[in-house]
Amino acid sequence: MALMAELSVVQGDITTLPVGAIVNAANPSLLGGGGVDGAIHRAGGPSILEECRAIVAARGPCEPGQAVVTGAGELPAGIVIHTVGPIWSEDDADGHDVTLGSCYRRSLDLAAAQEVREIAFPNISTGVYGFPRARAARVAIDAVTDWLDRRDRHSIERIVFVCFDDENRDLYESLLL
Ligand code: AR6
């Protein structure tokens, strides 16, 4: 039987959360940027960037839909999972859905591999990358629900969707409550 986990919505800054893993909406270079990526590197300190550089040197850039793990530096979280969302465009919208869903699935794979119990996701691709918010919220919830359904044994007890803006908070609350 599939083990369910609690899905919850929190509005605020993901860098403040003392959870087992927070997810970063990164870009393929893993060298930081704006938005949540900038906030995580600023609050976490230089060790996260050093680990990211080492990962890219060893394996190359992180492709959209993939994810990698680093420590959390000075953040209260246990680890940071860096994933790269798709850049939205109308052409190949279905393909972008698959890539975005993969960000959530791969992140959960990595979190479960580290026995993480609580994982917090930002609204990946809905900032600079321009993914329509309502569409992204449905993809995110479908992906994590499907991941939980398919895994018989895993460590995940709580999945937190961290919404920075009111629109995303309202969307997730309407879809989850
Ligand atoms: N905590 C939680 N969510 C946040 C925070 C925060 N501190 N700051 C912003 N958000 P974005 P993307 C929300 O642009 O669209 C970077 O430059 C934000 O309101 O951070 O995946 C990377 O390096 C939005 O809802 O990520 C890439 O180049 C969500 O996080 C590119 O942006 C995602 O917005 C990735 O673009």
Side-chain angles (χ1 to χ4, degrees):
M1 202 185 93
L3 273 175
M4 280 313 289
E6 180 196 348
L7 305 187
S8 57
V9 184
V10 165
Q11 187 170 19
D13 178 357
I14 201 167
T15 65
T16 64
L17 298 183
V19 292
I22 63 168
V23 177
N24 182 17
N27 64 65
S29 77
L30 299 180
L31 295 182
V36 69
D37 194 7
I40 286 172
H41 282 284
R42 261 194 314 279
S47 68
I48 300 177
L49 189 57
E50 281 165 28
E51 287 186 60
C52 285
R53 281 189 205 285
I55 290 168
V56 172
R59 307 187 211 165
C62 185
E63 298 298 325
Q66 297 302 314
V68 302
V69 179
T70 67
E74 294 158 32
L75 297 171
I79 58 173
V80 178
I81 297 171
H82 306 260
T83 189
V84 178
I87 299 173
W88 174 256
S89 63
E90 290 289 342
D91 54 306
D92 197 25
D94 292 347
H96 296 321
D97 288 350
V98 172
T99 304
L100 184 60
S102 172
C103 292
Y104 287 88
R105 294 169 196 276
R106 293 284 82 77
S107 296
L108 286 167
D109 287 342
L110 293 176
Q114 309 250 354
E115 300 289 321
V116 164
R117 296 209 299 263
E118 265 192 293
I119 179 170
F121 284 99
N123 307 131
I124 300 164
S125 283
T126 67
V128 173
Y129 280 2
F131 213 101
R133 284 177 167 81
R135 186 172 180 126
R138 282 194 298 273
V139 169
I141 291 168
D142 285 353
V144 304
T145 306
D146 183 63
W147 187 93
L148 290 166
D149 282 347
R150 286 170 189 271
R151 294 281 295 240
D152 281 342
R153 290 167 52 79
H154 59 77
S155 58
I156 307 292
E157 295 170 2
R158 184 166 180 240
I159 297 174
V160 184
F161 294 103
V162 182
C163 301
F164 207 55
D165 54 83
D166 294 353
E167 189 185 342
N168 266 317
R169 182 208 54 211
D170 291 347
L171 272 168
Y172 275 87
E173 284 185 349
S174 68
L175 289 167
L176 287 176
L177 302 181

